[in-house]
Amino acid sequence: MQIVLLAAMLGLLLRLLVRGEYVYYVKPGFLPALVGSAIVLTLMIVFVAKDAWVAAGHDDHDDHHHGHDHGEDGHGHAEPRAALLLALPLIVVLTVAPAPLGAFSATRSTSGAPPSKQNFAALPPGDPVTLAVPDFVDRARAGGSTLAGREVQLTGFVTPNADGPWWLTRFVINCCAADATSYRVIARGGPKLEADTWVSLTGHWVRSAGTPDGIPTLQVVDYEPAQPPSNPYAG
Amino acid sequence: MHRTPDVDAKRSGHRELILPLTLLAVAIIVVLGAHLTGWTAAAGVAAFATVFLSIVVQATPFLVLGILLSAAIVAFVPATVLERALPRNRALAVPVAGAAGILLPGCECASVPVASGLMRKGVTPAAALTFLLAAPAVNPIVLVATWVAFPNDHRMVLARLLASLGAAIGIGWLWIALGRAEWLRLPKPRSGDAHASHWLVFRHAAVHDFLHAGGFLIVGGLISAVINVVLPTTWVDSLAEQVILGVLVMALLAVVMCICSEADAFVAASFTQFSPTAQLTFMVVGPMVDLKLIAMQAGFFGRAFAVRFAPAVFVCAVVASAVVGWVLF
C-alpha cells in the first residue's frame, strides 16, 4: 500500500513534468525542486520495495528475525488513513483536464498589487508596442504618461463582464496558483469572444476611463486570435 | 500484530475525521456544479482542480525537504548535540529557538516535520513549537519578499519580523505555562528501531513522515480549494473600511487561503483597501495557522494538540500584529 501511494505522488509529478503542465500550478523556477522530489520519491519506492522483499522471507541472512516477532511486521499497515488521500491528486489530474486559472477565477481574485514604482521608462519606439498586460496596468495606474499617444499590443484571455465590455486578463503568480492575482484591462470596442479565448488586442490607452479599483481601459483598434502561451501566467 | 484497543480507537478517530471532510468537500463541489450553469460549472470544477493541485505541487518539494531534514535529525544527530545547543532553562530556550528560526529558509510545510523530529529527539516542546512558528514566518527569503512587495513602506519588514517573532515566542512561553505533555502524540520509533542502523532509521522515518504529512496536507489543500471556489476573495472588499473587522477578516482569509509564506506578502500588498495593520495580520497569521498546517499538525502531533494549538496561535498572532501595527503605523 505504501508503494502504491508513493507511486501515485511520483506519477503525478512525472505526468506534470513530462507534459510541461506544472507551469499551470507553480512558477517555472520550481522545475529543479520538482525533479528532485521525483528522485527522492523514486528512491523511497525502491527502499520500501526492498524492505518488503526482505520481510517476505527472501533474505537468508535474517533468519532469526522472521514471523510475528519481526520488527517489520505490520509495516504495510503502518500508514495513517489520511495517507490514502495521496492518491487523490493523481485521480484529479486524470479526471479533470489540467488547465491554468481562467476567467472563472479572474473576477474572484484581487486585481493586482499597486505598481512597485511611479517612474516607468519610456516605451521603445515603433507602434504598436508589444506589452505585457500587468505592465500596461501598472503604467496606467502610475498616471499613464508613458502610454499616452502610443499604440500597444496586449495578449491575454477573455473574462466576461456582465456590466460592460469584457476584460483582457492575465494572472501573475508569485509562488503557486493559489496566490494568483489577476490583471485586467477593459477591452472597449473589442470583438465578441467566448470566455477564456486567447487573443491579441491592438489599441490605445483611454485616459481616466478606468474603474475606481484601478482597471484601465484599452480602445481596441484591431485584434487577432492568439495561441495560449506555454507559461499562462505573466510576471 | 495484535493491535491494542487504544491503537484501534486512534485509527477509527482518523477515519472519523478524514472521510467526512473529504465527502463534504466532494459534496460541495457537486452542489456547486449543479447550481451554476453553462461554462461556469465546468470552469468552477477546473478552477477547484487547479487551486488544489497547485497547493499540493507547490508544497511537495518543501515537504520532501522537511521530511529528509526531520529524518536526518532523528537518525543521525545525537541528542546531546541538541541539548548543548539550547539553554537548559526552558524559558530561555524559547527565544533561542525563535532566533534559530530566522536562519532556516523554509516553507511552513517543511517546518512541521522538522519540529516533530526535534521533539522526538528530546528538544523541549516549547522550544520546538516556537521554532515551528518562527522558521517559516521570518526567514531571510520571506523578509526580502516582503521588502519587494511593499516598496513604499519598508516598515512592513520590521513590523513582520517583530510581530511574527513576538507571536512565536509568546506561544512557546504559553506552552511552558499551560501546555501538557499528554496533548502531544508524537510518532514513536518502532520496536525494531532501537538496534537498527542509522541509515535504516532514516529511511523508515522519511517514508513514514512523508505518508503521514502528505495525506494531511491534501486534506488541507482540498478544503482550501473548495473555499477558494465557493467564496471569492472579493467578498472581503466591502469590509475593508472597518478597522477592527478588517484585521479579523484578513486573519481569517490567511487561514483559508493556505499561501506559501514566501509569496503571501505579494497577496497582502494587493489588498490595497485594507489598513497596513490588517495586511500585516495576514502575513503574520498565514505562515503560522492555515488549513493545511492545521491538518498536518493534527497528523503529526495529534488532534488533541491541534484543536488547542491552532486557536491559541491564531489569537496570539492577531494580538501581536495589532500591537506592532498600532505602534509602528
Coordinates of all heavy atoms in Angstrom, one line a residue, chain B residues 203-294:
Chain B
R203 N 15.6 6.0 6.7 CA 14.7 5.6 5.7 C 13.3 5.4 6.2 O 12.3 5.8 5.6 CB 15.2 4.3 5.0 CG 16.1 4.5 3.9 CD 16.9 3.2 3.6 NE 16.1 2.0 3.7 CZ 16.6 0.8 3.7 NH1 17.9 0.7 3.7 NH2 15.9 -0.2 3.8
H204 N 13.1 4.7 7.3 CA 11.8 4.5 7.9 C 11.1 5.8 8.2 O 9.9 6.0 8.0 CB 11.9 3.5 9.1 CG 12.1 2.1 8.7 ND1 12.6 1.2 9.6 CD2 11.9 1.5 7.5 CE1 12.7 0.0 9.0 NE2 12.3 0.2 7.7
A205 N 11.9 6.7 8.9 CA 11.3 7.9 9.3 C 10.9 8.7 8.1 O 9.8 9.4 8.1 CB 12.3 8.7 10.2
A206 N 11.7 8.8 7.1 CA 11.4 9.6 5.9 C 10.1 9.1 5.2 O 9.2 9.9 4.9 CB 12.5 9.5 4.9
V207 N 10.0 7.8 5.0 CA 8.8 7.2 4.3 C 7.5 7.4 5.2 O 6.5 7.9 4.7 CB 9.0 5.7 4.0 CG1 7.7 5.1 3.5 CG2 10.1 5.5 3.0
H208 N 7.7 7.1 6.5 CA 6.5 7.3 7.4 C 6.1 8.7 7.4 O 4.9 9.0 7.3 CB 6.9 6.8 8.8 CG 5.9 7.0 9.8 ND1 5.8 8.2 10.6 CD2 4.8 6.3 10.1 CE1 4.8 8.1 11.3 NE2 4.1 7.0 11.1
D209 N 7.0 9.7 7.6 CA 6.7 11.1 7.7 C 6.0 11.6 6.4 O 5.1 12.4 6.4 CB 7.9 11.9 8.0 CG 8.2 11.8 9.5 OD1 7.6 11.0 10.2 OD2 9.1 12.5 10.0
F210 N 6.6 11.1 5.3 CA 6.0 11.6 4.0 C 4.5 11.2 3.9 O 3.7 12.0 3.5 CB 6.8 11.1 2.8 CG 6.3 11.6 1.5 CD1 6.7 12.9 1.1 CD2 5.4 10.9 0.7 CE1 6.1 13.4 -0.1 CE2 4.9 11.4 -0.5 CZ 5.3 12.6 -0.9
L211 N 4.3 9.9 4.1 CA 2.9 9.4 4.0 C 2.0 10.1 5.0 O 0.9 10.5 4.7 CB 2.9 7.9 4.3 CG 3.5 7.1 3.2 CD1 3.7 5.6 3.7 CD2 2.8 7.1 1.9
H212 N 2.5 10.3 6.2 CA 1.7 11.0 7.2 C 1.4 12.4 6.9 O 0.2 12.8 6.8 CB 2.6 10.9 8.5 CG 1.8 10.7 9.7 ND1 1.5 9.4 10.2 CD2 1.2 11.5 10.6 CE1 0.8 9.5 11.2 NE2 0.5 10.8 11.5
A213 N 2.4 13.2 6.6 CA 2.3 14.6 6.4 C 1.6 14.8 5.0 O 0.7 15.7 4.9 CB 3.6 15.3 6.4
G214 N 1.9 14.0 4.0 CA 1.3 14.2 2.7 C -0.2 14.0 2.7 O -0.9 14.9 2.2
G215 N -0.7 13.0 3.4 CA -2.1 12.8 3.5 C -2.8 14.0 4.1 O -3.9 14.4 3.6
F216 N -2.3 14.5 5.2 CA -2.9 15.6 5.9 C -2.8 16.9 5.1 O -3.7 17.7 5.0 CB -2.4 15.8 7.3 CG -2.9 14.7 8.2 CD1 -2.3 13.6 8.5 CD2 -4.2 15.0 8.8 CE1 -2.8 12.6 9.3 CE2 -4.7 14.0 9.6 CZ -4.0 12.8 9.9
L217 N -1.7 17.1 4.4 CA -1.5 18.2 3.5 C -2.6 18.2 2.5 O -3.2 19.3 2.2 CB -0.1 18.1 2.8 CG 0.0 19.1 1.6 CD1 0.2 20.5 2.1 CD2 1.2 18.7 0.8
I218 N -3.0 17.1 2.0 CA -4.0 17.0 0.9 C -5.4 17.3 1.5 O -6.2 18.0 0.8 CB -4.0 15.6 0.2 CG1 -2.8 15.6 -0.7 CG2 -5.2 15.3 -0.5 CD1 -2.3 14.3 -1.2
V219 N -5.7 17.0 2.7 CA -6.9 17.4 3.4 C -7.0 18.9 3.4 O -8.0 19.5 3.0 CB -7.0 16.8 4.8 CG1 -8.3 17.3 5.5 CG2 -7.0 15.3 4.8
G220 N -5.9 19.5 3.8 CA -5.9 21.0 3.9 C -6.0 21.7 2.6 O -6.8 22.6 2.4
G221 N -5.3 21.1 1.6 CA -5.4 21.7 0.2 C -6.8 21.6 -0.4 O -7.3 22.5 -1.0
L222 N -7.4 20.4 -0.1 CA -8.8 20.2 -0.6 C -9.8 21.2 0.0 O -10.5 21.8 -0.8 CB -9.2 18.8 -0.1 CG -10.2 18.0 -0.9 CD1 -9.8 17.8 -2.3 CD2 -10.4 16.6 -0.2
I223 N -9.7 21.4 1.3 CA -10.7 22.3 1.9 C -10.4 23.7 1.4 O -11.3 24.5 1.1 CB -10.6 22.3 3.4 CG1 -10.9 20.8 3.9 CG2 -11.5 23.3 4.1 CD1 -10.6 20.6 5.4
S224 N -9.1 24.1 1.3 CA -8.8 25.4 0.9 C -9.3 25.7 -0.5 O -9.8 26.7 -0.9 CB -7.3 25.6 1.0 OG -6.9 26.9 0.4
A225 N -9.1 24.7 -1.4 CA -9.5 24.8 -2.8 C -11.0 25.0 -2.9 O -11.5 25.7 -3.8 CB -9.0 23.6 -3.6
V226 N -11.8 24.2 -2.1 CA -13.2 24.3 -2.1 C -13.6 25.7 -1.7 O -14.5 26.4 -2.4 CB -13.9 23.3 -1.2 CG1 -15.3 23.6 -1.0 CG2 -13.7 21.9 -1.8
I227 N -13.0 26.2 -0.7 CA -13.4 27.6 -0.2 C -13.0 28.6 -1.3 O -13.8 29.6 -1.5 CB -12.7 27.9 1.1 CG1 -13.3 27.0 2.2 CG2 -12.9 29.3 1.5 CD1 -12.6 27.1 3.6
N228 N -11.9 28.4 -1.9 CA -11.4 29.3 -2.9 C -12.5 29.5 -4.0 O -12.7 30.5 -4.6 CB -10.1 28.8 -3.5 CG -9.6 29.7 -4.6 OD1 -10.2 29.8 -5.7 ND2 -8.4 30.4 -4.3
V229 N -13.1 28.3 -4.4 CA -14.1 28.3 -5.5 C -15.4 28.8 -5.0 O -16.1 29.6 -5.7 CB -14.2 26.9 -6.1 CG1 -15.3 26.9 -7.1 CG2 -12.9 26.6 -6.8
V230 N -15.8 28.4 -3.8 CA -17.2 28.8 -3.3 C -17.2 30.2 -2.9 O -18.2 30.9 -3.0 CB -17.6 27.8 -2.1 CG1 -18.9 28.3 -1.5 CG2 -17.6 26.4 -2.6
L231 N -16.1 30.7 -2.3 CA -16.1 32.0 -1.6 C -15.1 32.9 -2.3 O -13.9 32.8 -2.0 CB -15.8 31.8 -0.2 CG -16.3 32.9 0.8 CD1 -17.8 32.9 0.9 CD2 -15.7 32.6 2.2
P232 N -15.5 33.8 -3.2 CA -14.5 34.6 -3.9 C -13.8 35.6 -2.9 O -14.5 36.1 -2.0 CB -15.2 35.4 -5.0 CG -16.7 35.2 -4.6 CD -16.8 34.0 -3.7
T233 N -12.5 35.8 -3.1 CA -11.8 36.7 -2.1 C -12.4 38.1 -2.2 O -12.1 38.9 -1.3 CB -10.3 36.7 -2.3 OG1 -10.1 37.1 -3.7 CG2 -9.7 35.4 -2.0
T234 N -13.0 38.5 -3.3 CA -13.5 39.8 -3.5 C -14.6 40.2 -2.4 O -14.8 41.4 -2.2 CB -14.1 40.0 -4.9 OG1 -14.8 38.9 -5.3 CG2 -12.9 40.3 -5.9
W235 N -15.2 39.2 -1.8 CA -16.2 39.5 -0.8 C -15.7 40.3 0.4 O -16.4 41.0 1.0 CB -16.9 38.2 -0.3 CG -16.1 37.4 0.6 CD1 -15.3 36.3 0.2 CD2 -15.9 37.4 2.0 NE1 -14.6 35.8 1.2 CE2 -15.0 36.4 2.3 CE3 -16.4 38.2 3.0 CZ2 -14.6 36.2 3.7 CZ3 -16.0 38.0 4.3 CH2 -15.1 37.0 4.6
V236 N -14.4 40.2 0.6 CA -13.8 40.9 1.8 C -13.7 42.4 1.5 O -13.6 43.1 2.5 CB -12.5 40.3 2.2 CG1 -12.5 38.8 2.4 CG2 -11.4 40.6 1.1
D237 N -13.7 42.8 0.2 CA -13.5 44.2 -0.1 C -14.5 45.1 0.6 O -14.1 46.2 1.1 CB -13.7 44.4 -1.6 CG -12.5 43.8 -2.4 OD1 -11.6 43.3 -1.7 OD2 -12.5 43.8 -3.6
S238 N -15.7 44.7 0.8 CA -16.7 45.6 1.4 C -16.5 45.8 2.9 O -17.0 46.7 3.5 CB -18.1 44.9 1.2 OG -18.1 43.6 1.7
L239 N -15.6 44.9 3.5 CA -15.3 45.0 4.9 C -14.1 45.8 5.2 O -13.7 46.0 6.4 CB -15.2 43.6 5.5 CG -16.4 42.7 5.3 CD1 -16.1 41.3 5.6 CD2 -17.6 43.2 6.1
A240 N -13.4 46.3 4.2 CA -12.1 46.9 4.4 C -12.2 48.2 5.2 O -11.2 48.5 5.9 CB -11.4 47.2 3.0
E241 N -13.3 48.9 5.1 CA -13.4 50.2 5.8 C -13.3 50.0 7.3 O -12.9 50.9 8.0 CB -14.7 50.9 5.4 CG -14.9 51.1 3.9 CD -13.8 52.0 3.3 OE1 -13.5 53.0 4.0 OE2 -13.2 51.7 2.3
Q242 N -13.9 48.9 7.8 CA -13.9 48.7 9.3 C -12.5 48.3 9.7 O -12.0 47.3 9.3 CB -14.9 47.6 9.6 CG -16.1 47.5 8.7 CD -17.2 48.3 9.2 OE1 -17.3 48.7 10.4 NE2 -18.2 48.5 8.4
V243 N -12.0 49.1 10.7 CA -10.6 48.9 11.1 C -10.4 47.5 11.8 O -9.6 46.7 11.3 CB -10.1 50.0 12.0 CG1 -8.7 49.7 12.5 CG2 -10.1 51.3 11.2
I244 N -11.2 47.3 12.8 CA -11.0 46.1 13.6 C -11.5 44.9 12.8 O -10.8 43.8 12.8 CB -11.7 46.2 15.0 CG1 -11.1 47.3 15.8 CG2 -11.7 44.9 15.7 CD1 -11.8 47.6 17.1
L245 N -12.7 45.0 12.2 CA -13.2 43.9 11.4 C -12.2 43.6 10.2 O -12.0 42.4 9.9 CB -14.6 44.3 10.8 CG -15.5 43.2 10.4 CD1 -15.8 42.3 11.6 CD2 -16.8 43.7 9.8
G246 N -11.6 44.6 9.7 CA -10.7 44.4 8.6 C -9.5 43.5 9.0 O -9.1 42.6 8.3
V247 N -9.0 43.7 10.2 CA -7.9 42.9 10.8 C -8.4 41.4 10.9 O -7.7 40.5 10.5 CB -7.4 43.5 12.1 CG1 -6.5 42.5 12.8 CG2 -6.7 44.8 11.9
L248 N -9.6 41.3 11.5 CA -10.1 39.9 11.7 C -10.3 39.2 10.3 O -10.0 38.0 10.2 CB -11.3 39.9 12.5 CG -11.1 40.3 14.0 CD1 -12.4 40.4 14.7 CD2 -10.2 39.2 14.6
V249 N -10.9 39.9 9.4 CA -11.2 39.3 8.1 C -9.9 38.9 7.4 O -9.8 37.8 6.8 CB -12.0 40.4 7.2 CG1 -11.9 39.9 5.7 CG2 -13.4 40.5 7.7
M250 N -8.9 39.7 7.4 CA -7.6 39.4 6.8 C -7.0 38.2 7.5 O -6.3 37.3 6.9 CB -6.7 40.6 6.8 CG -7.0 41.7 5.8 SD -7.0 41.1 4.1 CE -5.3 41.5 3.7
A251 N -7.1 38.1 8.8 CA -6.6 37.0 9.6 C -7.3 35.7 9.1 O -6.6 34.7 8.9 CB -6.8 37.2 11.1
L252 N -8.6 35.7 9.0 CA -9.4 34.5 8.6 C -9.0 34.2 7.2 O -8.9 33.0 6.8 CB -10.9 34.8 8.7 CG -11.4 34.8 10.1 CD1 -12.9 35.1 10.2 CD2 -11.2 33.4 10.7
L253 N -8.9 35.2 6.3 CA -8.5 34.9 4.9 C -7.2 34.2 4.8 O -7.0 33.3 4.0 CB -8.5 36.3 4.2 CG -8.6 36.2 2.7 CD1 -10.0 35.6 2.3 CD2 -8.4 37.6 2.1
A254 N -6.2 34.6 5.7 CA -4.9 33.9 5.7 C -5.1 32.5 6.0 O -4.4 31.6 5.5 CB -4.0 34.6 6.7
V255 N -6.0 32.2 7.0 CA -6.2 30.8 7.4 C -6.7 29.9 6.2 O -6.3 28.8 6.0 CB -7.1 30.7 8.6 CG1 -7.4 29.2 8.9 CG2 -6.5 31.4 9.8
V256 N -7.7 30.5 5.5 CA -8.3 29.6 4.4 C -7.5 29.6 3.1 O -7.6 28.7 2.3 CB -9.8 30.1 4.1 CG1 -10.6 29.9 5.4 CG2 -9.9 31.5 3.6
M257 N -6.7 30.6 2.9 CA -6.0 30.7 1.5 C -4.8 29.8 1.4 O -4.5 29.3 0.3 CB -5.6 32.1 1.2 CG -6.8 33.0 0.7 SD -6.3 34.6 0.2 CE -5.7 34.4 -1.5
C258 N -4.2 29.4 2.5 CA -3.1 28.5 2.5 C -2.0 28.9 1.5 O -1.5 28.1 0.7 CB -3.5 27.1 2.1 SG -4.6 26.3 3.3
I259 N -1.5 30.2 1.6 CA -0.5 30.6 0.7 C 0.9 30.4 1.3 O 1.0 30.5 2.5 CB -0.7 32.1 0.4 CG1 -2.0 32.3 -0.2 CG2 0.4 32.6 -0.5 CD1 -2.3 33.8 -0.4
C260 N 1.8 30.0 0.5 CA 3.2 29.8 0.9 C 3.7 31.1 1.5 O 3.4 32.2 1.1 CB 4.1 29.5 -0.3 SG 5.7 29.1 0.1
S261 N 4.5 31.0 2.6 CA 4.9 32.2 3.3 C 5.8 33.1 2.5 O 6.0 34.3 2.7 CB 5.6 31.9 4.6 OG 6.8 31.2 4.4
E262 N 6.5 32.5 1.4 CA 7.4 33.2 0.6 C 6.6 34.1 -0.4 O 7.2 34.9 -1.1 CB 8.3 32.3 -0.1 CG 9.6 32.1 0.7 CD 9.9 30.6 0.9 OE1 9.8 29.9 0.0 OE2 10.2 30.3 2.1
A263 N 5.3 33.8 -0.6 CA 4.5 34.5 -1.6 C 3.4 35.4 -1.0 O 2.8 36.2 -1.7 CB 3.9 33.6 -2.6
D264 N 3.2 35.2 0.3 CA 2.0 35.9 0.9 C 2.1 37.4 1.0 O 1.1 38.1 1.0 CB 1.6 35.3 2.3 CG 2.7 35.5 3.3 OD1 3.7 36.1 3.0 OD2 2.5 35.1 4.5
A265 N 3.3 37.9 1.0 CA 3.5 39.4 1.0 C 2.9 40.1 -0.2 O 2.3 41.1 -0.1 CB 5.0 39.8 1.1
F266 N 3.1 39.4 -1.4 CA 2.5 40.0 -2.6 C 1.0 40.0 -2.6 O 0.4 40.9 -3.1 CB 3.0 39.2 -3.8 CG 4.5 39.2 -3.9 CD1 5.3 38.2 -3.4 CD2 5.2 40.3 -4.5 CE1 6.7 38.3 -3.5 CE2 6.6 40.4 -4.6 CZ 7.3 39.3 -4.1
V267 N 0.4 38.9 -2.0 CA -1.0 38.9 -2.0 C -1.5 39.9 -1.0 O -2.5 40.7 -1.2 CB -1.5 37.5 -1.6 CG1 -3.0 37.5 -1.4 CG2 -1.1 36.5 -2.6
A268 N -0.8 40.0 0.2 CA -1.2 41.0 1.2 C -1.2 42.4 0.6 O -2.1 43.2 0.8 CB -0.3 40.9 2.4
A269 N -0.1 42.7 -0.2 CA 0.0 44.0 -0.8 C -1.1 44.3 -1.8 O -1.4 45.5 -2.0 CB 1.4 44.1 -1.6
S270 N -1.7 43.3 -2.4 CA -2.8 43.5 -3.3 C -4.1 43.9 -2.7 O -5.0 44.4 -3.3 CB -3.0 42.3 -4.3 OG -3.6 41.3 -3.6
F271 N -4.2 43.7 -1.4 CA -5.4 44.1 -0.6 C -5.2 45.6 -0.2 O -5.1 45.9 0.9 CB -5.6 43.2 0.6 CG -6.1 41.9 0.3 CD1 -5.3 40.8 0.2 CD2 -7.5 41.7 0.0 CE1 -5.8 39.5 -0.1 CE2 -8.0 40.4 -0.4 CZ -7.1 39.4 -0.4
T272 N -5.2 46.5 -1.2 CA -4.9 47.9 -1.0 C -5.9 48.6 -0.2 O -5.6 49.6 0.4 CB -4.7 48.6 -2.4 OG1 -5.9 48.2 -3.2 CG2 -3.5 48.2 -3.1
Q273 N -7.2 48.1 -0.2 CA -8.2 48.8 0.6 C -8.0 48.7 2.1 O -8.7 49.4 2.9 CB -9.6 48.3 0.2 CG -9.8 48.1 -1.3 CD -9.5 46.6 -1.6 OE1 -8.5 46.1 -1.2 NE2 -10.3 46.0 -2.4
F274 N -7.2 47.7 2.5 CA -7.1 47.4 3.9 C -6.0 48.2 4.6 O -5.1 48.6 3.9 CB -6.9 45.9 4.1 CG -8.1 45.1 4.0 CD1 -8.5 44.6 2.7 CD2 -8.9 44.7 5.0 CE1 -9.6 43.9 2.5 CE2 -10.0 43.9 4.9 CZ -10.4 43.5 3.6
S275 N -6.1 48.4 5.9 CA -5.1 49.1 6.6 C -3.8 48.3 6.7 O -3.8 47.1 6.5 CB -5.6 49.4 8.1 OG -5.7 48.1 8.7
P276 N -2.7 49.0 6.8 CA -1.4 48.3 6.9 C -1.4 47.2 8.0 O -0.8 46.2 7.9 CB -0.4 49.4 7.2 CG -1.0 50.6 6.7 CD -2.5 50.5 6.9
T277 N -2.1 47.5 9.1 CA -2.2 46.6 10.2 C -2.9 45.3 9.8 O -2.5 44.2 10.1 CB -2.9 47.2 11.5 OG1 -2.2 48.4 11.8 CG2 -2.9 46.2 12.6
A278 N -4.0 45.5 9.0 CA -4.7 44.3 8.5 C -3.8 43.5 7.6 O -3.8 42.2 7.6 CB -6.0 44.7 7.8
Q279 N -3.1 44.2 6.7 CA -2.1 43.5 5.8 C -1.1 42.7 6.6 O -0.7 41.6 6.3 CB -1.5 44.5 4.8 CG -2.5 45.1 3.8 CD -1.8 46.1 3.0 OE1 -1.1 46.9 3.4 NE2 -2.2 46.1 1.7
L280 N -0.6 43.4 7.6 CA 0.4 42.8 8.5 C -0.1 41.5 9.1 O 0.5 40.5 9.2 CB 0.9 43.8 9.6 CG 1.8 43.2 10.6 CD1 3.2 42.8 10.1 CD2 2.0 44.2 11.8
T281 N -1.4 41.6 9.6 CA -2.0 40.4 10.3 C -2.1 39.3 9.3 O -1.8 38.1 9.7 CB -3.4 40.8 10.7 OG1 -3.4 42.0 11.5 CG2 -4.0 39.7 11.6
F282 N -2.4 39.5 8.0 CA -2.5 38.5 7.0 C -1.1 37.8 6.9 O -1.1 36.5 6.8 CB -2.8 39.2 5.7 CG -3.0 38.2 4.5 CD1 -4.2 37.5 4.3 CD2 -1.9 38.0 3.6 CE1 -4.3 36.7 3.3 CE2 -2.1 37.1 2.6 CZ -3.3 36.5 2.4
M283 N 0.0 38.5 7.0 CA 1.3 37.9 6.8 C 1.8 37.2 8.0 O 2.7 36.4 8.0 CB 2.3 39.0 6.3 CG 2.0 39.5 5.0 SD 3.3 40.6 4.4 CE 3.2 42.0 5.5
V284 N 1.3 37.6 9.2 CA 1.8 37.0 10.5 C 1.0 35.7 10.7 O 1.5 34.7 11.1 CB 1.6 38.0 11.6 CG1 2.0 37.3 12.9 CG2 2.6 39.2 11.4
V285 N -0.3 35.8 10.4 CA -1.2 34.6 10.7 C -0.9 33.5 9.7 O -0.7 32.3 10.1 CB -2.7 35.0 10.6 CG1 -3.6 33.8 10.7 CG2 -3.0 35.9 11.8
G286 N -0.8 33.8 8.4 CA -0.7 32.9 7.3 C 0.4 31.8 7.5 O 0.0 30.6 7.4
P287 N 1.6 32.1 7.8 CA 2.6 31.1 7.9 C 2.5 30.3 9.2 O 3.1 29.3 9.4 CB 4.0 31.9 8.0 CG 3.6 33.2 7.4 CD 2.2 33.5 7.8
M288 N 1.6 30.7 10.2 CA 1.5 30.0 11.5 C 0.3 29.2 11.6 O 0.3 28.1 12.1 CB 1.5 31.1 12.6 CG 2.8 31.8 12.7 SD 2.9 32.9 14.1 CE 4.5 33.5 14.0
V289 N -0.8 29.7 11.0 CA -2.1 28.9 11.1 C -2.7 29.0 9.7 O -3.1 30.1 9.2 CB -3.1 29.5 12.0 CG1 -4.1 28.5 12.5 CG2 -2.5 30.3 13.2
D290 N -2.8 27.9 9.0 CA -3.7 27.8 7.9 C -4.2 26.4 7.8 O -3.8 25.5 8.5 CB -3.1 28.3 6.6 CG -2.0 27.5 6.0 OD1 -2.0 26.3 6.2 OD2 -1.1 28.0 5.4
L291 N -5.2 26.2 6.9 CA -5.9 24.9 6.9 C -4.9 23.7 6.7 O -5.0 22.7 7.3 CB -7.0 24.9 5.8 CG -8.1 25.8 6.1 CD1 -9.1 25.8 4.9 CD2 -8.9 25.3 7.3
K292 N -3.9 23.9 5.8 CA -3.1 22.7 5.5 C -2.1 22.5 6.7 O -1.8 21.4 7.0 CB -2.3 22.9 4.2 CG -1.2 24.0 4.2 CD -0.5 23.9 2.9 CE 0.6 25.0 2.7 NZ 0.7 26.2 3.4
L293 N -1.8 23.6 7.4 CA -0.9 23.4 8.6 C -1.7 22.8 9.7 O -1.1 21.9 10.4 CB -0.4 24.8 9.1 CG 0.7 25.4 8.2 CD1 1.1 26.8 8.8 CD2 2.0 24.5 8.3
I294 N -2.9 23.2 9.9 CA -3.7 22.6 11.0 C -3.9 21.1 10.7 O -3.7 20.3 11.6 CB -5.1 23.3 11.1 CG1 -5.0 24.7 11.5 CG2 -6.0 22.5 12.1 CD1 -6.3 25.5 11.4

